[in-house]
Amino acid sequence: MKFSNLFAAAVAAFGLVRSGCSQIVKHRPSEGAGVSYSINVPKNTSVTGSGPIFLQLQAPPGVKWFALGQGSQMTDGNLFIVYAASRHNVTLSTRRATGHVQPLYDPSIEAYLLDGSGIHDGVMTANIRCDNCTTLANGESALGNSSSWMWALTHGPPMMSSNVSQLLYQHDWHGTFTLNTTWAVGGNNTNPFVVPMATMHELSAYTHQQQVSDTILHKKRIAHGVMTSVAFVLLFPNFALLLYIVPSRRTVAWIHAPLQLFAVLLALAGFGVGVSVSKDLQEIGGYHPVIGYVAVGGVVLIQPVLGIMQHLHFRKTGTSSLYGVSHRYLGRFFAALGVINGGVGFHYATAKNPDIPPASPIAYGIICGSMFIIYVSVIFWRRSKSASKTARFSLPFFRRRQEKAPIAKLENNSDSTLCGSGVVETSREKSWVP
Ligand SMILES: *[C@@H]1O[C@H](CO)[C@@H](O)[C@H](O)[C@H]1NC(C)=O
Ligand SMILES: *[C@@H]1O[C@H](CO)[C@@H](O)[C@H](O)[C@H]1NC(C)=O
Ligand SMILES: *[C@@H]1O[C@H](CO)[C@@H](O)[C@H](O)[C@H]1NC(C)=O
Ligand SMILES: *[C@@H]1O[C@H](CO)[C@@H](O)[C@H](O)[C@H]1NC(C)=O
Ligand SMILES: *[C@@H]1O[C@H](CO)[C@@H](O)[C@H](O)[C@H]1NC(C)=O
Ligand SMILES: *[C@@H]1O[C@H](CO)[C@@H](O)[C@H](O)[C@H]1NC(C)=O
Ligand SMILES: *[C@@H]1O[C@H](CO)[C@@H](O)[C@H](O)[C@H]1NC(C)=O
């Protein structure tokens, strides 16, 4: 790989220096407003797999707080959060995330500020030695070939707090990067950041990085939630009900199909935004995304095909078919799946973002419940209406036969109404069916 080659060249050039000196790897995220994160692993720590490591966090003026974390998820390892304590000092708050609540101050992380820490010309510097930061929460080594780290920052005026439990609000930007920490090995357990620059060299190299603006992410999450819930909770069921409410020969082709197509496009757009959000959150394999793939896949790929097949069948024969029945039941299934997945989504959203008002899942539940009641009522209303019409029109002599056949047929047809075929009256007025 390019980096390795580059590094090999660098090592060749600095080979002699490297053996005696601290090696520092520095990462400066391009969206990090000039914030930089440096890592050094002393030789002994690298050899034995435990011992101190050295970190340097540096931020220009205008940064309220910034953080470096071990691992690629909040729950993976230690977090080092730095903010201004006073005009000249910084606070180091070591935290651990348990679950998805705001990470709490954890004094058991043995990390200390070293010489050179402080605020000089507005630049915050924290030189840190951590004595037990070589393993992640899952027991794996935090160092090595592809060691994952994450960072976050918030812009704003200096915090001016020496309270290590200071409440911090959502960050503005966050990201992850992966380093080969063998590039950072060197030194003899002394603070490498106060050694004169000439005797160490810094490499800016990472093998993989991701950067996410939390402001944009927040907007994407809202857009995703609104688009998919409007499509699944309101549009799909209501546009299906139109077949019951507006029983006309034109309903399917002129009203039901175009409106459902619009709903499908909205669901698809919401899905696209959701995929982008799940990439930002690194949640691609979670329940919510997987159920989402099924529900959206169903309404985008299966439902239109079944609907069109039933419509063609109906134009030929005037009857319902397996296409129609599947279209109706799968439609209900996919819509219900999408609605339930919306609830699952709220669970995710509130877990990862405490800003979401607790009333919104409740409102969602109420809207879903109301929609369900409306849906069921309309279907029963239409069925009872059809049934009473049938009863009125059938002659006593034929009642026995007709009571079975036409009702079965009507039910089929009201079934097929949902499936985009015909409408309730169609079976009795075949004249306009070609
Ligand atoms: C550690 O290395 C630094 C230079 O890298 C040197 O100044 C210092 O004396 C060394 N300390 C020990 C204990 O070897
Ligand atoms: C703040 O920094 C000054 C030196 O700049 C130091 O004397 C003082 O002890 C520091 N205060 C704290 C609380 O760390
Ligand atoms: C660091 O050590 C303390 C005790 O020495 C322990 O309670 C804590 O869990 C350790 N932290 C890590 C990250 O290993
Ligand atoms: C990490 O760096 C070491 C030292 O240069 C190198 O030998 C190794 O191949 C690198 N590993 C990866 C996965 O890049
Ligand atoms: C480094 O990566 C190589 C393969 O690229 C692997 O064989 C080796 O075990 C890794 N070393 C460490 C310390 O992870
Ligand atoms: C530190 O901040 C936390 C959270 O805001 C607060 O509960 C606590 O009382 C503060 N401690 C001090 C000493 O101010
Ligand atoms: C490194 O470890 C060895 C023993 O494993 C010890 O003798 C030596 O003093 C250590 N070096 C430093 C700089 O801590």
Side-chain angles (χ1 to χ4, degrees):
M1 283 181 70
K2 257 198 186 142
F3 277 127
S4 315
N5 293 344
L6 207 80
F7 182 75
V11 168
F14 291 93
L16 284 174
V17 184
R18 190 181 181 233
S19 55
C21 275
S22 308
Q23 183 100 0
I24 295 169
V25 172
K26 182 183 260 190
H27 180 60
R28 198 190 297 270
S30 56
E31 301 293 351
V35 166
S36 71
Y37 302 97
S38 307
I39 298 160
N40 164 251
V41 181
K43 196 140 193 79
N44 263 19
T45 304
S46 156
V47 170
T48 62
S50 68
I53 62 169
F54 294 93
L55 307 169
Q56 185 183 61
L57 282 68
Q58 224 163 19
V63 170
K64 187 171 189 176
W65 62 264
F66 64 122
L68 178 67
Q70 297 184 290
S72 59
Q73 295 278 326
M74 285 284 263
T75 47
D76 281 353
N78 305 321
L79 294 171
F80 307 90
I81 303 176
V82 174
Y83 38 86
S86 61
R87 273 171 59 82
H88 299 291
N89 297 30
V90 293
T91 303
L92 168 66
S93 171
T94 49
R95 301 197 187 192
R96 267 202 106 120
T98 49
H100 287 304
V101 294
Q102 180 174 338
L104 298 174
Y105 172 64
D106 182 352
S108 75
I109 301 168
E110 297 166 13
Y112 314 96
L113 282 174
L114 306 175
D115 281 358
S117 302
I119 303 176
H120 308 284
D121 299 330
V123 175
M124 278 192 273
T125 303
N127 295 333
I128 301 164
R129 189 185 82 231
C130 183
D131 288 339
N132 66 352
C133 288
T134 50
T135 52
L136 297 176
N138 61 9
E140 281 174 20
S141 173
L143 308 173
N145 271 346
S146 58
S147 147
S148 295
W149 298 78
M150 54 192 191
W151 60 271
L153 72 85
T154 288
H155 297 277
M159 186 85 88
M160 297 297 181
S161 166
S162 52
N163 182 353
V164 287
S165 300
Q166 182 68 42
L167 206 59
L168 304 173
Y169 293 98
Q170 194 81 0
H171 34 73
D172 292 344
W173 277 89
H174 74 266
T176 56
F177 60 95
T178 304
L179 285 176
N180 182 351
T181 58
T182 46
W183 298 350
V185 173
N188 60 4
N189 291 7
T190 55
N191 179 358
F193 302 108
V194 292
V195 177
M197 286 298 274
T199 59
M200 63 174 174
H201 65 275
E202 299 179 352
L203 291 165
S204 185
Y206 53 86
T207 48
H208 169 78
Q209 76 161 342
Q210 185 205 26
Q211 304 189 92
V212 176
S213 159
D214 295 287
T215 325
I216 295 171
L217 176 59
H218 186 66
K219 286 179 185 158
K220 285 199 285 190
R221 298 178 78 157
I222 291 175
H224 167 70
V226 169
M227 287 196 276
T228 49
S229 22
V230 166
F232 277 96
V233 179
L234 298 178
L235 301 192
F236 286 135
N238 276 314
F239 294 165
L241 284 181
L242 281 178
L243 294 169
Y244 292 84
I245 297 167
V246 192
S248 142
R249 49 179 292 207
R250 301 194 193 284
T251 305
V252 167
W254 291 35
I255 301 180
H256 175 76
L259 287 180
Q260 289 295 40
L261 181 66
F262 169 75
V264 164
L265 292 179
L266 186 67
L268 200 59
F271 172 77
V273 178
V275 168
S276 161
V277 168
S278 74
K279 276 190 185 150
D280 285 351
L281 295 176
Q282 302 185 334
E283 280 278 358
I284 293 159
Y287 287 116
H288 179 69
V290 169
I291 300 175
Y293 287 127
V294 176
V296 173
V299 297
V300 171
L301 302 175
I302 300 176
Q303 284 299 91
V305 173
L306 289 176
I308 291 169
M309 295 304 282
Q310 163 59 25
H311 188 59
L312 295 179
H313 177 88
F314 183 83
R315 280 174 53 168
K316 246 189 268 167
T317 65
T319 60
S320 183
S321 68
L322 193 60
Y323 297 125
V325 175
S326 332
H327 183 77
R328 182 182 55 147
Y329 283 107
L330 281 178
R332 287 176 183 173
F333 171 73
F334 289 133
L337 200 63
V339 168
I340 292 167
N341 203 31
V344 177
F346 270 110
H347 174 71
Y348 266 74
T350 44
K352 289 221 156 183
N353 185 353
D355 289 349
I356 293 192
S360 46
I362 297 170
Y364 180 79
I366 291 173
I367 294 172
C368 293
S370 317
M371 194 55 236
F372 179 74
I373 291 168
I374 292 171
Y375 187 87
V376 171
S377 315
V378 168
I379 286 176
F380 277 102
W381 164 73
R382 174 53 70 186
R383 273 197 187 160
S384 62
K385 223 177 147 188
S386 314
S388 66
K389 267 190 190 171
T390 317
R392 243 188 301 128
F393 281 113
S394 49
L395 293 167
F397 183 73
F398 294 113
R399 181 168 285 160
R400 199 188 166 78
R401 211 184 74 195
Q402 282 194 337
E403 239 167 23
K404 284 239 172 312
I407 283 179
K409 186 144 199 180
L410 278 174
E411 290 224 337
N412 261 347
N413 267 343
S414 64
D415 287 359
S416 58
T417 53
L418 246 194
C419 349
S421 72
V423 280
V424 179
E425 272 78 12
T426 55
S427 66
R428 268 173 282 124
E429 298 178 293
K430 282 216 182 126
S431 49
W432 48 267
V433 177

